[in-house]
Amino acid sequence: MSDPVLCGVILHPAGHTLSPLLHETAYSALGLDAHYEVFDVPPRDFARELEALRARRVRQLSVSLPHKEAALALSERVSPAARAIGACNTLTLEDGAWRADNTDWIGVQRTLEPLGPWQGRRATVLGAGGAARAVVYALHALGLEVRVLNRTAERAEQLTAELGGRVGGLDEPYDLLVNATSLGMAPNVEQTPAPADALRPGSTVFDLVYRPLETRLLREARAAGCPTQDGLDMLVHQAVEQLRLWSGQTADAALLRRTADAALAAEAR
Ligand code: NAP
């Protein structure tokens, strides 16, 4: 019998990451022999740890905050999407060299596709960090017109200069509003990135935050008559795509969603 494939998630601080649960559930359902670990690595140790993991033949890594840019910079091969987005959430050891991919944008695309059609519609994205960059990349792939609004205006300008779209405001009409800031995330659940009076009935509101699943933004959006989408499907779909890149197999997204829902419900109790 061959040894299990060694893989894991590299991040700091480790907190309550759902990645091991999602990947282990998928490996087990697909009958794959893999061992998925959590590597809690502070930024100053990232480069050294990556070398140590290469030497240990850890071949597949999910990359989370704060390492997504450093992982890109240290990779020998980079996919076009990871290069354009400027962040890597997936590392694969190929012939001894790290290949950087980004599956966050695929997570966004697969989450939104069933809620479309989106071609020619208008999106406003709140935030200009790494997640917002993956969102903007996905929205362009779906054919939306993109405006970006961020607390630090220069970051929104830089994002749109690099990825397209333009800087905009909440006073402009939109068909899709995306929260790609950390506002509303536990424990700051009373924060929201958009005032209730900026929510437009009939426009879809997608919040990347998934702790809690129903953020204040989504609660107020529902009350305003907006279709809503939480952040957990994005997390599930980016993991499904990681597994496809690594094993060529397609994990059952609905099974992973049910598993993650149960874990978040248990956490909340
Ligand atoms: P990041 O690079 O640190 O960016 C954070 C963003 O939030 C920036 O635009 C920042 O604005 C904004 N922000 C933070 N505090 C704020 C405040 N008090 N008022 C206004 N804006 C504020 O983080 P990230 O990786 O992009 O992640 C952003 C969010 O997406 C997080 O909640 C993360 O959990 C979520 N996420 C979800 C998934 C998923 O699969 N569902 C995947 C990735 C990320 P400034 O530029 O002005 O600082």
Side-chain angles (χ1 to χ4, degrees):
M1 230 174 76
S2 57
D3 291 335
V5 174
L6 299 179
C7 43
V9 57
I10 187 159
L11 76 174
H12 184 76
H16 300 283
T17 172
L18 287 173
S19 290
L21 178 69
L22 292 176
H23 282 274
E24 279 161 7
T25 303
Y27 292 135
S28 162
L30 292 169
L32 296 171
D33 191 13
H35 177 70
Y36 195 93
E37 281 183 52
V38 174
F39 303 105
D40 184 349
V41 179
R44 66 173 182 281
D45 296 335
F46 182 73
R48 198 171 21 164
E49 181 66 18
L50 211 53
E51 281 314 305
L53 294 173
R54 191 199 310 251
R56 270 185 59 196
R57 298 217 170 78
V58 174
R59 299 215 302 260
Q60 303 166 346
L61 282 172
S62 310
V63 181
S64 202
L65 287 179
H67 301 308
K68 291 186 176 187
E69 282 90 26
L72 188 74
L74 292 168
S75 294
E76 287 93 348
R77 298 170 193 163
V78 178
S79 73
R83 169 92 56 220
I85 293 164
C88 155
N89 77 327
T90 310
L91 281 173
T92 312
L93 198 57
E94 250 179 16
D95 308 323
W98 289 115
R99 191 190 73 219
D101 286 288
N102 187 304
T103 68
D104 280 334
W105 80 273
I106 304 264
V108 174
Q109 187 185 41
R110 294 209 184 128
T111 297
L112 289 175
E113 254 163 0
L115 310 178
W118 294 112
Q119 186 66 42
R121 314 284 295 276
R122 299 154 301 183
T124 298
V125 177
L126 307 174
R133 293 179 69 92
V135 166
V136 169
Y137 190 86
L139 298 184
H140 281 136
L142 287 165
L144 283 122
E145 270 176 40
V146 179
R147 289 129 199 191
V148 178
L149 177 61
N150 191 50
R151 174 179 61 177
T152 311
E154 304 82 65
R155 282 186 96 190
E157 276 155 23
Q158 190 183 346
L159 188 163
T160 52
E162 288 174 16
L163 287 168
R166 65 172 172 79
V167 174
L170 275 172
D171 51 338
E172 295 175 84
Y174 56 79
D175 305 296
L176 172 68
L177 181 69
V178 184
N179 176 32
T181 75
S182 42
L183 288 173
M185 198 161 73
N188 302 314
V189 295
E190 276 315 307
Q191 292 181 337
T192 182
D197 62 8
L199 301 171
R200 297 171 182 264
S203 297
T204 301
V205 178
F206 171 27
D207 199 336
L208 265 60
V209 171
Y210 53 83
R211 275 190 181 94
L213 265 185
E214 183 169 82
T215 56
R216 175 173 167 192
L217 174 66
L218 293 189
R219 204 168 53 243
E220 292 181 347
R222 210 183 327 273
C226 305
T228 58
Q229 171 63 52
D230 63 53
L232 200 51
D233 284 333
M234 173 183 169
L235 187 78
V236 163
H237 286 298
Q238 65 76 30
V240 169
E241 180 61 10
Q242 276 183 341
L243 247 141
R244 196 194 61 74
L245 287 171
W246 290 339
S247 70
Q249 301 212 43
T250 304
D252 178 353
L255 166 69
L256 300 193
R257 171 75 204 215
R258 287 196 301 278
T259 307
D261 273 330
L264 289 180
E267 246 179 57
R269 281 198 290 273

